[in-house]
Amino acid sequence: MRQTGRRWRTEHLDVRATASPLSFARSGLVVPKHGKTSVERNRLKRRLRELVRTRILAPAGIRGIDLVIRALPAAYSASFVELEQEIAGIARRLSASD
């Protein structure tokens, strides 16, 4: 995945997308420890998972893509609204590149 596809970096996220051999979209989350507790990591994972589900996969109707989202250390202190705005921007870029 690192050799092909597109990469976008926001203040809180590092996103990589590439074409998938499958007819449906897949997403993966990478939430490094960055010295945080498991409660904080799981909260961030839940937030990102919900945003990907509701903002990228469902409404955009994006198919045939593999998406990996890596949280940066600043993502732990970001509000849900900030993360939502960044995910919405990624969704716009993905739909524009189709």
Side-chain angles (χ1 to χ4, degrees):
M1 179 128 181
R2 296 185 95 182
Q3 304 299 324
T4 62
R6 304 269 320 211
R7 177 181 179 204
W8 297 283
R9 190 169 178 138
T10 66
E11 183 180 349
H12 302 105
L13 305 171
D14 184 16
V15 181
R16 292 180 184 270
T18 188
S20 175
L22 304 172
S23 62
F24 54 90
R26 297 184 294 180
S27 66
L29 296 174
V30 179
V31 181
K33 290 182 179 180
H34 296 299
K36 302 297 181 178
T37 65
S38 60
V39 172
E40 293 168 308
R41 288 192 308 273
N42 287 333
R43 181 182 302 125
L44 182 56
K45 282 191 276 190
R46 285 192 305 271
R47 287 177 173 185
L48 291 174
R49 193 177 305 125
E50 180 66 10
L51 288 170
V52 168
R53 184 182 71 80
T54 59
R55 302 289 186 235
I56 294 179
L57 300 180
I62 297 170
R63 300 198 175 275
I65 189 170
D66 288 339
L67 189 66
V68 176
I69 299 174
R70 182 178 182 275
L72 300 175
Y76 284 101
S77 60
S79 69
F80 187 81
V81 173
E82 290 174 311
L83 294 173
E84 183 177 32
Q85 290 171 350
E86 290 184 13
I87 292 290
I90 296 298
R92 282 190 300 274
R93 292 175 184 165
L94 285 171
S95 59
S97 66
D98 284 346

